[in-house]
Amino acid sequence: MDEPDRWRHMAGAPRDGSRILVTVRSSEQGPAEVDVAYWSNGDQFGAEGWRASDSSPGRIVEYAEPELKCWMPMPSANPNRASTPSPWEGDDAQQLDGSGI
């Protein structure tokens, strides 16, 4: 069974249109943050790739693959937990999913 609070390497992220949580890398525009995104196969509004879930026709927010550090499934509803997870702040891929072992 998947652990709901475990960040995973982007290579394994689902590309079926389902919404997932992603860590957006820090950049000149700001610190790392968590966003909800999904994979789009491309349409008349934009190319194939990762899009922020709050995108809409004419206002597509696309993420380049290098902008996204890791992902996790959307958490299930839990009344005892009212906050989203913190962005992954550790080293890159070596520590995700235990791949540095």
Side-chain angles (χ1 to χ4, degrees):
M1 180 191 285
D2 282 357
E3 296 175 39
D5 293 339
R6 187 166 179 201
W7 290 106
R8 297 166 173 87
H9 200 293
M10 283 303 296
R15 295 180 182 230
D16 60 3
S18 58
R19 282 159 170 64
I20 58 173
L21 293 176
V22 294
T23 292
V24 181
R25 294 178 186 277
S26 60
S27 69
E28 295 172 353
Q29 286 75 37
E33 63 182 14
V34 173
D35 197 2
V36 179
Y38 67 96
W39 180 260
S40 171
N41 290 323
D43 53 27
Q44 70 269 28
F45 304 110
E48 178 179 74
W50 294 105
R51 293 184 183 176
S53 67
D54 56 357
S55 293
S56 61
R59 294 182 179 224
I60 303 296
V61 177
E62 295 178 316
Y63 289 114
E65 199 78 36
E67 288 181 275
L68 302 179
K69 196 171 197 175
C70 50
W71 75 281
M72 74 166 59
M74 291 291 293
S76 58
N78 182 343
N80 297 326
R81 186 170 171 194
S83 64
T84 58
S86 300
W88 170 260
E89 294 292 344
D91 292 333
D92 283 351
Q94 293 87 0
Q95 294 185 14
L96 296 173
D97 272 341
S99 59
I101 296 174

